[in-house]
Amino acid sequence: EPEVTQTPSHQVTQMGQEVILRCVPISNHLYFYWYRQILGQKVEFLVSFYNNEISEKSEIFDDQFSVERPDGSNFTLKIRSTKLEDSAMYFCASSDARTGMNTEAFFGQGTRLTVV
Amino acid sequence: GDSVTQMEGPVTLSEEAFLTINCTYTATGYPSLFWYVQYPGEGLQLLLKATKADDKGSNKGFEATYRKETTSFHLEKGSVQVSDSAVYFCALSDRGNAGNMLTFGGGTRLMVKP
């Protein structure tokens, strides 16, 4: 069964450092997403990406965040200068979402980011 | 904007007990509704979904019915097992949003005791 894969599963970084979280969405999907879940809190939408550009982003997704699809398979989230409050589980998701059709999103296992 | 409210946990039940986790939503348009489950140490997995009013989603003994009149999508299971212990998230996707992003509720932790 096709799945979304994320690497690494756990990343520890020092405050102020740049991190890149990587995701391989399901191959025939069109929309890609990043969500985050701070420990014990709700899952929050960060950004959606379609046709090589951001289609929607939340207020959380400020200038320190960026996303990229550098090739035909990977989808990355970059945090330029990490803060302690960026510590969270980051989930990548993809969907074959088209207006009026199945809107199911498939999630990866997540990358736990710990900023120290 | 869109929002999802679900009952706070933790919910602690004995094995074979009946489960209800309440979920209500606010959305413009006609959203699709979902329940996701997060087992300990794992990511989010889709449990069930419903895409229009009066639809019933079901999977692994869990059910939820899309009630437009009460804007609810309560999760039920007739007889829970220890293996059902997890965090359950209600979510919606508003078809009006490009990309159909999900709005999640706060999650409800379920603990089932033998």
Side-chain angles (χ1 to χ4, degrees), chain B residues 41-92:
Chain B
E42 299 186 14
L44 295 165
Q45 300 175 28
L46 179 67
L47 180 60
L48 54 84
K49 65 184 179 189
T51 57
K52 61 182 188 295
D54 300 325
D55 267 3
K56 177 185 283 188
S58 61
N59 186 27
K60 299 181 181 180
F62 290 89
E63 292 182 341
T65 301
Y66 189 142
R67 301 284 188 203
K68 188 168 180 289
E69 64 276 13
T70 54
T71 61
S72 65
F73 192 55
H74 304 321
L75 182 69
E76 296 181 336
K77 186 174 185 183
S79 176
V80 293
Q81 305 300 311
V82 173
S83 57
D84 294 327
S85 298
V87 181
Y88 292 82
F89 292 92
C90 186
L92 70 82

Side-chain angles (χ1 to χ4, degrees), chain A residues 31 33 35 37 102-105, chain B residues 34 36 38 46 49 99 102:
Chain A
Y31 281 95
Y33 313 84
Y35 290 81
Q37 184 184 26
N102 191 332
T103 58
E104 177 178 344
Chain B
F34 306 85
Y36 279 83
Q38 185 179 32
L46 179 67
K49 65 184 179 189
L102 290 164

Side-chain angles (χ1 to χ4, degrees), chain A residues 33-48 57-61 65 77 85-93 107, chain B residues 38 44 89-91 101-107:
Chain A
Y33 313 84
W34 283 101
Y35 290 81
R36 79 171 185 191
Q37 184 184 26
I38 295 172
L39 187 63
Q41 298 185 24
K42 68 165 63 178
V43 178
E44 301 171 293
F45 169 77
L46 292 177
V47 65
S48 61
K57 61 182 181 179
S58 72
E59 60 188 22
I60 302 168
F61 194 86
F65 291 94
L77 174 69
E85 54 264 37
D86 293 327
S87 295
M89 181 74 89
Y90 288 81
F91 291 106
C92 174
F107 283 78
Chain B
Q38 185 179 32
L44 295 165
F89 292 92
C90 186
M101 73 172 211
L102 290 164
T103 299
F104 284 88

Side-chain angles (χ1 to χ4, degrees), chain A:
Chain A
E1 185 176 329
E3 59 180 13
V4 176
T5 56
Q6 292 184 241
T7 54
S9 57
H10 191 190
Q11 173 102 35
V12 180
T13 188
Q14 288 198 326
M15 192 169 52
Q17 295 296 305
E18 175 184 286
V19 294
I20 298 176
L21 309 183
R22 303 181 190 279
C23 170
V24 179
I26 294 174
S27 62
N28 62 343
H29 283 184
L30 302 176
Y31 281 95
F32 315 113
Y33 313 84
W34 283 101
Y35 290 81
R36 79 171 185 191
Q37 184 184 26
I38 295 172
L39 187 63
Q41 298 185 24
K42 68 165 63 178
V43 178
E44 301 171 293
F45 169 77
L46 292 177
V47 65
S48 61
F49 191 86
Y50 171 73
N51 198 26
N52 286 320
E53 60 183 21
I54 290 173
S55 55
E56 195 159 6
K57 61 182 181 179
S58 72
E59 60 188 22
I60 302 168
F61 194 86
D62 61 23
D63 290 345
Q64 71 159 342
F65 291 94
S66 62
V67 289
E68 191 178 29
R69 189 155 162 82
D71 53 41
S73 60
N74 290 286
F75 179 53
T76 62
L77 174 69
K78 182 192 290 186
I79 309 175
R80 288 192 184 83
S81 177
T82 50
K83 305 181 200 128
L84 294 176
E85 54 264 37
D86 293 327
S87 295
M89 181 74 89
Y90 288 81
F91 291 106
C92 174
S94 69
S95 71
D96 187 17
R98 307 179 199 195
T99 302
M101 295 180 63
N102 191 332
T103 58
E104 177 178 344
F106 292 81
F107 283 78
Q109 296 289 86
T111 293
R112 179 165 297 285
L113 176 66
T114 302
V115 182
V116 296

